[in-house]
């Protein structure tokens, strides 16, 4: 694409427990975005998304504990800028297994 576009996608309730704000202190609930790099056959971090509600209004970072623990918090989406379309994911790396 010649310019990035804003993309919104739904965050299932079952996936909220691991979302962590990656930029504490700025008032926004920001999460890391990853894309699947087919050439490297791996996920690569590419930017940051903002957690928003069903009206596309930003969720304050002060709501992080409630978002990750309360399944009735409401519908949530992640907004991010994409410069191409491929397989994207909002995620956090898991700690290594023993």
């Amino acid at each position: 694409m010649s310019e990035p576009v804003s993309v919104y996608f739904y965050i299932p309730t079952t996936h909220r427990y691991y979302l962590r704000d990656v930029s504490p202190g700025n008032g926004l609930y920001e999460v890391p975005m990853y894309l699947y790099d087919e050439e490297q056959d791996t996920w690569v971090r590419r930017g940051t998304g903002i957690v928003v509600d069903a009206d596309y209004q930003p969720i304050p970072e002060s709501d992080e504990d409630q978002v990750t623990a309360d399944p009735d918090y409401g519908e949530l989406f992640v907004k991010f800028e994409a410069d191409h379309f491929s397989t994207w994911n909002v995620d956090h790396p898991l700690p290594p297994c023993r």
Side-chain angles (χ1 to χ4, degrees):
M1 294 181 287
S2 61
E3 294 182 29
V5 296
S6 294
V7 177
Y8 296 84
F9 70 77
Y10 180 68
I11 303 172
T13 304
T14 55
H15 291 78
R16 295 182 194 171
Y17 70 93
Y18 62 79
L19 295 178
R20 299 294 178 263
D21 183 20
V22 295
S23 301
N26 68 359
L28 297 173
Y29 192 169
E30 296 174 304
V31 292
M33 298 302 303
Y34 288 81
L35 65 87
Y36 187 72
D37 185 320
E38 293 181 14
E39 290 179 16
Q40 295 182 35
D41 193 27
T42 190
W43 290 95
V44 178
R45 180 158 177 198
R46 176 74 66 83
T48 303
I50 298 173
V51 179
V52 299
D53 63 19
D55 293 323
Y56 304 118
Q57 297 303 305
I59 298 296
E61 66 184 350
S62 58
D63 285 5
E64 181 176 11
D65 289 341
Q66 189 178 1
V67 165
T68 58
D70 183 359
D72 296 320
Y73 184 85
E75 289 189 317
L76 294 179
F77 298 80
V78 62
K79 173 190 175 188
F80 66 99
E81 301 297 311
D83 58 3
H84 72 285
F85 290 110
S86 64
T87 305
W88 288 86
N89 193 25
V90 56
D91 215 336
H92 284 274
L94 296 174
C97 295
R98 293 181 190 209

